[in-house]
Structure formats: C-alpha cells, structure tokens
C-alpha cells in the first residue's frame, strides 16, 4: 500500500465529509486512536476534539506522552478527563476479572458520554476501527473469552455520523501511516495493551498500593527492555501483580511483601504466543533493579507458559 497516497486521500475525504463541522474522538493513546487523531487533525485541525479519559489504569508516563504530543505537535482540541477516583470507587471490592472489565468499559462510556453531552455542536464521531476489528466482530458463535472494551459499545441513540478512516488498514499500515503523519516512534510502535489497561494486571481487587507497585515495576521493565534494544524483538512484555503476599528477607529481617510476575511473549496475532527467552543476565539485572527500587516487592517470577494453555494476560 502507498501510505503517503492513503494519507493524502484520507485527509481530502475527511475534509469533504466533515466540512466546517466538528468531530469528537476518544483518544486512548493507543496506536489506532492516536493515528486516527493525527490524521483527522490534518484535515480539520481544532475542529477535532479528542477526549482522553485518565482512569488511573494507564502505564507510568502515558498520559503525559499523550498530552505532550497532542497539545504541542498537533492542532487538536484535547480534553483530558481526570477520572481516577471515579474508577477506583466503582472498582472497590470487585475481584472478578469479567466484572472488572465490564465496570471499566461501562464507566469509560459514561465518562465519554458526559463529555460528549457538553459538546453538542459536534456532529461526527471518529473511531479508530481497523480491518482486524471488523473481521473479529464479524465472527459468529465465538465463545466469550473476555468481554470487549470498545467505543463500539457506545449507545445507538447517539446522534453522530461515524468517520472511520482506518477501516481498510491492517496494523502494520496503521503504524506506517502514524510515522508518515509524524507521530513519535514509541506511540506508533506501542505494544498491544489491553482496553482495561493495568486493571487486568492488578489481579483481584485493584488497590492503589498494588497499582503503584505495578506501575513502577512495569516502568523498570520497559526501561530495561529499551536499554537492551529488545523493543522490537519481544512482541509484548509486562508486569502483573497478584493479590497475595509472600515471605522474604530484607536487611536481615523477615519481610511479608508482594511477588510480581513478569511476562514476555512473541506472537503473530495474539491467538497463540510463545514465552520469550530473555538472557539470564537481563533477568538478573531486572530482578535486582525491581527489588532494589521497590521495597514492597520481595520476589520476581518469570512466566514460562505459552498460549495455549495460558492466555497472554492474566485476567
Ligand atoms: N482511556 C481512554 N480514553 C479515551 N478513549 C479510550 C480510552 N480507552 C479506550 N478508548 C477508546 O476506545 C477504543 C477501543 O479501545 P481498545 O482499548 O479496545 O483499543 P484498540 O482497539 O487497541 O485501539 P487503540 O489502539 O486506539 O487503543 C480506542 O480506540 C479509543 O477510541
């Protein structure tokens, strides 16, 4: 595919469709919605309003990266909604993974609807639907493995006209379009990240304490992977934290603190995955750094399970 041509044609089409009206887009900081935002902004500039919902379940630095790029590099109207407390309140005492996903998805839609209600002069809704999304949703009779978190779930009575400029693209082309539009490489090359964010990596009930530990450990892992130049070798790598403690020994004293799980996999399409074999030195360095920098972690476990029988994520 000629990406430059695609970008030019899309910008022209979007200009024609939206004209001098306004459009709204839910921006997650993920590849699809970011590329969509960049593309549409080239066509209609600040007539595009991007709503980024900070539910507190993003990785460390992600909100700042989105703010930096879309406030400074692109001419869009960016609204960042601080919704951490709202989400934490809804998620209190909820342990079941499916219920957690459902609550996060529903609450996201509610927040988005509230923002959209304030923008009554916006006639278009831009969605980062890509070819694979359409193929996936077209499949009949698939068993529910995980409930889906998507703006596709927005209620039907919303009076918007849809704009979906990426419908015909596969992921590699979406990334290429992002590069063509000048999005920063970390945003364009971002590894797959679950819709409910870190909510499904903070196992069982989500607590602020464990969420913080998770964010720090995940930050260290990403930093080490980047330093080792492995970002493009490992398909997905992340940390999960369970909701139980284990015994350790810190400064010659018994400690009762958290273990964390590290997972790294390679995969083509997430349907199957093989665990990634990090070098021993890498794992030693990582484990030491995490336990040195995060006193609440006394054990680092590396997951050596393929999918199947495991899934990539833990919940
Ligand atoms: N925290 C959020 N703030 C704003 N929009 C969001 C948020 N989370 C999800 N969305 C919206 O919901 C869509 C679907 O979310 P999902 O997590 O399934 O991502 P996706 O299909 O991989 O797309 P993306 O790459 O844009 O994240 C996103 O494209 C985005 O429009």
């Amino acid at each position: 595919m000629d990406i430059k041509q695609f970008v030019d044609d899309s910008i022209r089409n979007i200009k024609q469709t939206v004209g001098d009206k306004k459009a709204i887009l839910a921006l997650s900081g993920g590849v699809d919605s970011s590329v969509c935002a960049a593309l549409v902004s080239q066509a209609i500039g600040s007539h595009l309003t991007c709503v980024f919902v900070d539910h507190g379940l993003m990785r460390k630095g992600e909100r700042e990266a989105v703010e930096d790029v879309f406030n400074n590099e692109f001419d869009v109207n960016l609204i960042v909604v601080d919704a951490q407390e709202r989400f934490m309140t809804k998620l209190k005492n909820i342990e079941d993974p499916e219920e957690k996903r459902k609550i996060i998805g529903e609450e996201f839609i509610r927040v988005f609807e509230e923002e959209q209600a304030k923008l009554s002069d916006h006639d278009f809704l831009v969605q980062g639907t890509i070819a694979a999304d359409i193929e996936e949703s077209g499949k009949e009779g698939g068993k529910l493995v995980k409930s889906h978190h998507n703006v596709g779930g927005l209620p039907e009575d919303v009076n918007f006209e849809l704009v979906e400029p990426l419908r015909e693209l596969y992921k590699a082309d979406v990334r290429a379009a992002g590069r063509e539009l000048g999005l920063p490489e970390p945003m364009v090359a971002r590894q797959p990240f679950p819709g409910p964010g870190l909510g499904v990596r903070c196992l069982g009930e989500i607590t602020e304490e464990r969420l913080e530990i998770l964010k720090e450990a995940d930050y260290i892992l990403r930093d080490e992977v980047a330093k080792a130049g492995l970002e493009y070798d490992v398909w997905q790598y992340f940390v999960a934290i369970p909701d139980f403690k284990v015994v350790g020994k810190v400064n010659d004293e018994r400690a009762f603190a958290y273990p964390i799980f590290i997972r790294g996999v390679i995969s083509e399409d997430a349907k199957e995955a093989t665990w990634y074999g990090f070098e021993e030195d890498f794992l030693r360095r990582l484990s030491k750094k995490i336990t040195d920098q995060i006193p609440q972690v006394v054990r680092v476990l590396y997951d050596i399970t393929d999918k199947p029988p495991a899934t990539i994520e833990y919940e």
Side-chain angles (χ1 to χ4, degrees):
M1 174 178 259
D2 182 339
I3 288 298
K4 190 170 177 338
Q5 188 71 51
F6 167 82
V7 168
D8 291 345
D9 290 350
S10 300
I11 292 173
R12 196 169 343 102
N13 288 340
I14 296 163
K15 266 189 187 150
Q16 231 167 37
T17 312
V18 182
D20 57 5
K21 295 195 167 147
K22 291 184 175 172
I24 185 170
L25 166 112
L27 176 64
S28 68
V31 182
D32 304 344
S33 55
S34 299
V35 171
C36 233
L39 186 61
V40 177
S41 86
Q42 298 292 310
I44 61 167
S46 59
H47 276 210
L48 172 66
T49 300
C50 296
V51 178
F52 174 84
V53 179
D54 184 357
H55 44 37
L57 305 168
M58 307 271 166
R59 289 172 295 192
K60 185 172 164 177
E62 264 182 331
R63 168 179 171 163
E64 293 75 10
V66 167
E67 286 178 323
D68 183 39
V69 169
F70 288 99
N71 277 330
N72 302 327
E73 312 286 331
F74 289 90
D75 177 27
V76 298
N77 176 29
L78 175 67
I79 296 177
V80 176
V81 188
D82 261 312
Q84 292 103 310
E85 266 189 49
R86 230 177 124 149
F87 277 79
M88 284 306 279
T89 307
K90 286 271 170 190
L91 288 162
K92 203 165 168 50
N93 296 323
I94 308 292
E95 293 178 2
D96 179 70
E98 278 304 311
E99 219 180 316
K100 281 163 63 177
R101 280 181 179 263
K102 215 169 138 220
I103 290 172
I104 296 168
E106 281 176 5
E107 199 56 20
F108 163 72
I109 288 167
R110 219 155 282 148
V111 173
F112 186 75
E113 276 178 319
E114 287 172 17
E115 291 308 311
Q116 163 252 313
K118 296 179 202 158
L119 302 164
S120 52
D121 59 339
H122 286 55
D123 295 322
F124 291 87
L125 175 68
V126 183
Q127 292 206 115
T129 315
I130 65 170
D133 296 334
I134 296 166
E135 283 165 16
E136 237 174 70
S137 60
K139 269 183 215 148
E140 296 282 333
K143 267 200 259 167
L144 175 82
V145 180
K146 284 169 187 169
S147 59
H148 222 71
H149 166 79
N150 208 313
V151 234
L154 281 176
E156 283 171 10
D157 59 354
V158 182
N159 276 330
F160 280 123
E161 275 190 66
L162 271 190
V163 179
E164 298 182 303
L166 309 179
R167 279 181 79 91
E168 277 154 34
L169 300 195
Y170 284 91
K171 205 77 180 188
D173 291 327
V174 178
R175 294 190 207 277
R179 289 188 183 102
E180 178 69 32
L181 288 156
L183 283 175
E185 190 59 23
M187 197 170 261
V188 170
R190 193 167 104 137
Q191 51 171 323
F193 188 61
L198 299 180
V200 292
R201 295 178 181 169
C202 191
L203 312 185
E205 186 192 354
I206 301 170
T207 63
E208 262 165 54
E209 184 201 18
R210 283 186 304 114
L211 197 54
E212 265 322 296
I213 298 171
L214 176 59
K215 285 183 187 176
E216 285 307 317
D218 178 79
Y219 190 77
I220 296 171
L221 171 66
R222 283 189 287 143
D223 186 46
E224 286 299 317
V225 168
K227 278 190 195 146
L230 295 172
E231 290 144 301
Y232 296 100
D233 293 359
V234 199
W235 196 72
Q236 201 173 344
Y237 45 96
F238 61 88
V239 176
I241 184 164
D243 56 352
F244 57 83
K245 290 183 174 176
V246 291
V247 175
K249 192 176 178 191
V250 180
N251 299 332
D252 265 343
E253 279 187 31
R254 180 188 184 276
F256 192 51
Y258 293 104
I260 56 161
F261 306 142
I262 308 277
R263 185 139 171 80
V265 296
I266 40 180
S267 173
E268 295 261 310
D269 52 11
K271 288 184 194 133
E272 295 188 341
T274 314
W275 62 274
Y276 183 80
F278 285 109
E279 301 276 331
E280 186 185 330
D281 278 357
F282 176 92
L283 291 171
R284 283 189 187 283
R285 202 167 49 241
L286 178 68
S287 164
K288 179 148 179 20
K289 204 160 180 188
I290 290 174
T291 50
D292 279 354
Q293 292 188 10
I294 314 174
Q296 303 97 316
V297 175
V298 288
R299 214 169 281 246
V300 178
L301 301 140
Y302 188 59
D303 188 335
I304 50 165
T305 333
D306 292 341
K307 172 184 180 179
T311 50
I312 296 178
E313 299 287 342
Y314 283 75
E315 289 192 335

